Amino acid sequence: MRSSSILTVVVLCAAFAGCTHEAPTREAQSQPAAAPTKAPPTLAGRPGKAAIASAHALATEAGFEVIAKGGNAFDAAIAVGSVLSVVEPQSSGIGGGGFFLLHRAADGRDVFLDARETAPAASRSELWADADGKLDRDKSINGPISSGIPGEPAAYDWLAKHYGKLPLAESLAPAIRIAREGFPVYSRFNRSIGMRRPVLERWPAGKALFLPGGEIPAEGSLWSNPDLASTLERIAEHGATGFYRGEFAGRLVDAVAAAGGIWTREDLAAYVVKEREPITLDYRGWRIVTAPPPSSGGIALAEMFNILSGYDLAQRSRVERVHLTIEAMRRAYRDRAEYLGDPDYVKMPVAELTSPLYAAGLRASIHPSKATSSDALPGYMPPTEGEHTTHYSIMDADGNLAAVTKTVNLTLGSAFVVEGTGFVLNNEMDDFALLPGQPNAFGLVGGEANAPKSGRRPLSSMTPSFVIGEDRVGVIGTPGGSRIITMVLEGILAYLDGDEPKDVVARPRYHHQYLPDVVSAEPRAFTRDETKALTDMGHVVNEGERTWGLMNMVGWNRRTNTVGAGSDPREESSRADVR
Ligand code: DON
């Protein structure tokens, strides 16, 4: 986006009818900008214990296993991540990518490792268009034409070389063992296979792997993946080179081409992870360290926290708090799609979007007791969600932190497996605006800033984050498509209110994303009276039957010197522990 349009937005927001009928709230007037009043807290000290929360018990266990062998949080991040790639292939894997937010205790460095997939060099919008110029949904999400160049293998190599204490082979050992020996099939795993069955059946290797004997593996039966064990062994022995170059890369390229994809050996050889500066924001004495572009999460979080910093939420009723939070969500999501893309290719007004001054303009447009209609806000940007990504949080005894969100995008990614490799390729190309203005699988639209061009990384919602206060430190994140960002916002607000990690992850959630102009709520998110009060303010509240997210959080209370961990009770495979 161009900076000028932001200013236009601020002016429009402050001016449009319905926004400024009443004077802004007292707090908003007295605190127009969110400038911190004192130095932000830093991460000092030593928890003395490790904490890990992930979507699968075997992955959490693998993290503790490598820590017991002398590894640190970053070795554990490899172990947990690679085991998730084995036991939760519906969510993430070697054929996908992710974001790794790291804090290194020894020198206090925060770094964001971007292992997002990249667009193959031959990418151009027409490849995903049908004869009428409309987005061909089958091509955007099924088979290798929907796959970006994976980032996860390069991430593990990088983590081991630059941050870990153990050789890569040792951190990958639990994943290799579990892939070879197998694990008990659980309901989310075989449900995912059922969902993707028709597409899996199109190509023999994926069909043989996920539908052995033509059947969905039975819950409780042992499912193994020796091909994936071999692929991981290859990476353990040769590092990223074993995946991105040579004979293995050639096999991937040939199989992708035979099934209609556009990968080349050069695309694979050119893949690199990027170290990026995290987005850092201060909110009421807390410091939040979070995901920069190509994630949209950190910028949206900064906008929402900056808006909310003008109100003393603790002094407000629950309904007022929810109303103000929804209005902050509405405004941040309006900006999200229009402006953001791969920072290496797109010039973005990050400083403006995350500035307290910009938030003050947005805040001035919030009516204290009336919902703003999304139609009244300029810009556009629709719906989404999903449960096919994974997040895990790690803290080691020395205070190293890792917040990792990784994905193959939709359930089982593209559902395409190259014979003999044991992993699905992602369908992350659908996170690009493949055709300008035409919605992707999440209903998200975009334009040039997120166009599928050679080497670019598609815009993401994944938002791994750290929350740092005087006394308490939290590591947080979740899957959930576009709902990720509001879940992380609500999770952080709950932590700031004093919740323990296990309570943060359990809290009922609500969500607003500008369009559709609806507040989605999990069952029990609001009382009947709260729903009525919000409805009276003009909010359309949609209390669904279903829940969303799979949040995993760890935390450390420096005052009481206690370490806590919580994994989302919405999913029974998840596991959090402290040792
Ligand atoms: O990067 C993104 O924003 C999406 N590929 C994430 C997909 C997701 O979270 C799916 N559902 N949980």
Side-chain angles (χ1 to χ4, degrees), residues 90-91 97 99 116-117 294-296 336 385-390 405-411 427-428 430-431 440 442 444 458-463 478-484 487 549-550:
Q90 69 273 21
S91 299
F99 297 142
R116 185 74 165 156
E117 298 86 340
S295 171
S296 55
R336 178 189 175 279
E385 94 247 32
E387 313 293 339
H388 341 291
T389 292
T390 201
T405 314
K406 66 190 194 91
T407 188
V408 286
N409 196 25
L410 305 179
T411 304
N427 57 2
E428 214 70 66
D430 191 65
D431 272 357
N440 75 354
F442 292 114
L444 296 165
L459 188 62
S460 173
S461 298
M462 297 187 289
T463 314
T478 182
S482 71
R483 293 176 191 223
I484 289 173
M487 281 189 263
L550 207 174

Side-chain angles (χ1 to χ4, degrees), residues 112-131:
F112 181 81
L113 192 63
D114 169 0
R116 185 74 165 156
E117 298 86 340
T118 52
S123 302
R124 43 179 217 286
S125 287
E126 305 84 78
L127 289 173
W128 293 277
D130 65 17

